[in-house]
Amino acid sequence: MPPGQNMDDWFTSLRSGMWKLFFKLNCEGRVRCFKEFFPLLHETRERVLGKDREDFYLVYLGTKPGSEKKGYGRALVEHGCALVS
C-alpha cells in the first residue's frame, strides 16, 4: 500500500468496492463497522507494526461466490509472502 494511504481511507474504499458495504448495512452495522471496527484495525496495526512502518500487510481478502474453493486466495497470499520475504 502506498505510503500515507490507510486501509480504510476513502480512496482505498472506492477502489476496493468497500464503499458498497455502507449501503448494505443497517444503521447499527454502519456504526460498528466504520466507527468501531475499521478504526480498531488501524490502531492495532500501528500498535503492532509501529506508527511509521509501511510494511506489507493484508487485512481483507475475498472472492466471488463462483470462485470459492479454487485456491485463488491461497495463491494470492503465497505470492504476496514471496514478494516480501
Side-chain angles (χ1 to χ4, degrees):
M1 190 168 302
Q5 189 175 2
N6 296 328
M7 65 188 162
D8 52 351
D9 71 2
W10 70 269
F11 187 66
T12 302
S13 278
L14 185 64
R15 285 184 355 171
S16 69
M18 189 64 84
W19 62 273
K20 297 175 191 174
L21 186 60
F22 181 85
F23 297 102
K24 292 185 179 221
L25 296 172
N26 62 20
C27 186
E28 180 183 351
R30 285 184 207 128
V31 169
R32 295 185 83 179
C33 185
F34 293 99
K35 300 282 186 193
E36 297 173 9
F37 178 65
F38 287 158
L40 180 62
L41 283 175
H42 186 70
E43 292 167 13
T44 302
R45 178 196 166 271
E46 284 186 352
R47 189 176 42 217
V48 172
L49 295 176
K51 197 171 189 108
D52 297 328
R53 274 181 78 175
E54 292 294 339
D55 291 340
F56 172 84
Y57 64 99
L58 177 66
V59 177
Y60 312 111
L61 177 64
T63 60
K64 293 181 178 182
S67 299
E68 294 174 340
K69 307 287 185 196
K70 294 184 178 177
Y72 297 140
R74 175 187 285 270
L76 180 63
V77 170
E78 287 175 352
H79 177 70
C81 289
L83 290 175
V84 297
S85 56

